[in-house]
Amino acid sequence: MLKIKELQQRRQTLLTSMGEGIAIIPTANEVIRNRDSHYPYRFDSYFYYLTGFTEPESLLVLIAGAQPQSVLFCRDKDIEREIWDGFRFGPEAAKTQFGFDAAYSMQQLDEMLPKLLSNQAKLFYSLGADTAWDARVTGWLNKVKDLARTGVSAPEVILDVRQLVDKQRLIKSPYEQATMRLSGNIAAEAHNRAMRFVGLNSAKQNLHEYEVEAEFLHEFYKNGAQAPAYTSIVAGGANACTLHYNANNCVLNDGDLLLIDAGCELDGYASDITRTFPVNGKFSAAQKDLYQLVLNAQLEAIAAAKTGHHWNASHEAALDVLVQGFIDFKLCKGSKDEVLENGGYRQFYMHRTGHWLGLDVHDAGDYKDKQGNWSVLEAGNVLTVEPGCYVRPADNVPEHFWNIGIRIEDDVLITQTGNEVLTKNAVKSVVDIENLMAGHA
Ligand code: GLY
Ligand code: MN
Ligand code: MN
């Protein structure tokens, strides 16, 4: 359970880094899917990080200075609407339950914001993220400017509040780490379930990618995850060579590999796992060669993800293994240094080895400092490690590798002493996958 104390601490940290001025942080809008049906609602990650509040139509105001204030604007209690749409806290209960200094109705926003913006030197706001909010904030600022002759001044600088919060979000608290561990566990068991299911059904004709998707979605929801963390990829055979394939509607063929990239969202926190396994439960020789190569690269990349190493160390470690393998398997020509230098490996490995993970699957936070140096990993960072190999048919490629697409992805928490793989329960060695699919695990 996310405690008020932690929420107040997050807001205090931001108020301290603001120094002076006012921050305005709206949550996400509800979005119409068609006619009067909405997409499932998802709060804004910055707003949620600072408030823990999940209702739409809410906004956080932080006022820095000698007497820091955190103020929530939210929907009023409305028994009539609650009969239709469900519970709302209302300002009074929200103030105490989430530890704000004050809370008001959203109805008071246009009246109160010009007053709160008056005589503030700086405005911290995510300009450009939402044009409707930009217009509304501009309207409030113009109201303040209209009062210039009465001696009131408007903020002279607008700074991106996300820059400051990103730094906080990069280091996960013990609560966040525990939630991400749970999210990782649920997703890991979901991948195991999908593998087991394909193993059991591999003799079935017309087994579709979406039938496998249904298996891991079942496991997500059954264990309390609120949603998939991103659009799932269930890619049989050549589909795995399309990096963002998500039609998930093809038949799975005996002799092909199946790549699944799927994670869940638990209390706002994403997991992000990819596993690749043979539809018929047994890797062919060519599949095993490339699979073991990617797995070796991933293990080296995970070992390189530790406190004090720079962000790119994992990518470099993965490339080192992959490029040597590509040369050994006659996918690339030349020495390792030559192939690294001329980028020939990009025909088969064209993405990077990971990203920050947290409230967003591609989470907040810089990868380089202002001087252009890679960030140095710190305890509390969470990142993915996800090397791959994607072989499309081509004249320069041995035919037995054609249409093999492999990625292996885990979520890694950096600790004081090294790292913890949050998704370690998803099986990934050749022997463990074959055993699980044969029903021996
Ligand atoms: N599933 C998104 C990613 O792996 O980056
Ligand atoms: Mn990823
Ligand atoms: Mn992924």
Side-chain angles (χ1 to χ4, degrees):
M1 175 70 184
L2 182 48
K3 301 247 170 47
I4 290 183
K5 239 178 143 176
E6 178 162 344
L7 292 167
Q8 288 176 325
Q9 185 58 55
R10 293 177 189 176
R11 295 194 285 264
Q12 189 50 54
T13 304
L14 176 56
L15 281 159
T16 305
S17 52
M18 286 163 64
E20 59 174 339
I22 179 170
I24 296 176
I25 303 159
T27 195
N29 300 320
E30 292 176 288
V31 183
I32 298 279
R33 184 170 186 271
N34 47 22
R35 203 171 282 265
D36 56 357
S37 291
H38 289 82
Y39 282 104
Y41 181 69
R42 171 53 156 76
F43 41 78
D44 174 77
S45 295
Y46 290 97
F47 175 85
Y48 176 72
Y49 178 79
L50 293 164
T51 64
F53 198 66
T54 58
E55 290 184 23
E57 296 179 69
S58 354
L59 177 143
L60 174 68
V61 173
L62 294 176
I63 302 164
Q67 284 180 321
Q69 287 272 309
S70 75
V71 182
L72 179 77
F73 288 82
C74 66
R75 302 182 300 190
D76 289 308
K77 287 292 291 174
D78 182 338
I79 297 307
E80 177 63 23
R81 284 312 324 160
E82 290 182 54
I83 288 170
W84 289 87
D85 303 329
F87 174 80
R88 309 172 165 198
F89 277 95
E92 213 175 307
K95 173 177 176 300
T96 49
Q97 298 272 321
F98 296 86
F100 298 103
D101 298 307
Y104 300 100
S105 163
M106 279 299 265
Q107 309 283 345
Q108 294 170 270
L109 198 60
D110 288 325
E111 172 210 329
M112 289 187 66
L113 258 291
K115 288 181 193 147
L116 293 174
L117 281 159
S118 295
N119 299 321
Q120 294 290 347
K122 295 176 182 168
L123 169 60
F124 293 85
Y125 170 70
S126 56
L127 193 66
D130 181 291
T131 48
W133 277 115
D134 288 355
R136 206 149 164 202
V137 170
T138 306
W140 300 331
L141 287 171
N142 285 338
K143 274 204 168 153
V144 184
K145 284 176 190 157
D146 286 346
L147 297 174
R149 268 175 294 166
T150 67
V152 172
S153 64
E156 284 179 8
V157 274
I158 301 180
L159 297 154
D160 195 332
V161 66
R162 293 172 294 191
Q163 280 287 323
L164 298 180
V165 186
D166 284 356
K167 290 194 175 58
Q168 294 178 230
R169 285 177 56 183
L170 265 177
I171 306 289
K172 273 64 180 179
S173 70
Y175 162 81
E176 291 179 292
Q177 294 175 22
T179 308
M180 293 191 75
R181 195 173 288 115
L182 275 176
S183 182
N185 266 332
I186 294 171
E189 290 308 330
H191 277 263
N192 291 345
R193 181 184 172 120
M195 271 183 223
R196 219 177 275 120
F197 172 81
V198 174
L200 275 173
N201 289 280
S202 56
K204 185 176 164 226
Q205 295 293 308
N206 292 330
L207 182 64
H208 285 82
E209 292 164 343
Y210 53 73
E211 295 176 67
V212 187
E213 183 172 16
E215 288 297 312
F216 63 73
L217 291 179
H218 178 101
E219 196 72 14
F220 289 171
Y221 289 117
K222 191 181 75 157
N223 288 291
Q226 290 83 11
Y230 52 90
T231 307
S232 309
I233 296 170
V234 188
N239 293 338
C241 296
T242 300
L243 294 179
H244 292 161
Y245 173 81
N246 59 27
N248 302 353
N249 59 3
C250 291
V251 168
L252 296 171
N253 295 312
D254 185 8
D256 279 350
L257 290 176
L258 172 59
L259 180 155
I260 300 178
D261 185 346
C264 61
E265 183 173 299
L266 180 73
D267 298 338
Y269 288 86
S271 44
D272 181 7
I273 302 180
T274 308
R275 288 292 182 268
T276 310
F277 54 95
V279 169
N280 64 16
K282 276 269 171 215
F283 287 89
S284 70
Q287 290 167 349
K288 199 183 290 186
D289 280 345
L290 289 190
Y291 185 87
Q292 194 58 51
L293 173 65
V294 175
L295 183 54
N296 292 345
Q298 200 226 17
L299 295 174
E300 288 299 320
I302 290 174
K306 56 182 188 185
T307 324
H309 279 198
H310 63 74
W311 165 263
N312 210 40
S314 284
H315 185 58
E316 287 165 5
L319 270 187
D320 200 63
V321 177
L322 287 174
V323 167
Q324 187 57 55
F326 293 164
I327 294 165
D328 295 344
F329 292 132
K330 308 213 170 346
L331 291 164
C332 289
K333 286 197 180 73
S335 69
K336 186 154 80 178
D337 285 345
E338 281 164 357
V339 176
L340 283 167
E341 180 67 27
N342 67 25
Y345 63 86
R346 290 203 185 93
Q347 184 179 353
F348 311 107
Y349 184 46
M350 60 298 278
H351 60 76
R352 297 190 49 81
T353 302
H355 48 83
W356 301 126
L357 184 73
L359 288 169
D360 301 323
V361 66
H362 292 177
D363 205 34
D366 291 333
Y367 293 90
K368 285 187 175 175
D369 65 18
K370 289 214 165 67
Q371 287 72 45
N373 301 312
W374 291 110
S375 305
V376 176
L377 297 177
E378 290 179 67
N381 289 156
V382 180
L383 57 138
T384 66
V385 179
E386 48 179 306
C389 168
Y390 314 90
V391 189
R392 286 172 175 263
D395 289 343
N396 64 340
V397 172
E399 202 167 333
H400 52 278
F401 289 136
W402 285 11
N403 293 320
I404 293 179
I406 295 165
R407 181 164 61 257
I408 308 173
E409 175 174 28
D410 281 298
D411 304 344
V412 176
L413 165 68
I414 305 298
T415 64
Q416 295 292 351
T417 51
N419 67 46
E420 175 188 343
V421 179
L422 300 173
T423 47
K424 60 181 172 300
N425 291 345
V427 305
K428 67 179 173 184
S429 73
V430 167
V431 57
D432 286 349
I433 289 173
E434 292 187 346
N435 278 337
L436 180 67
M437 294 188 74
H440 297 147

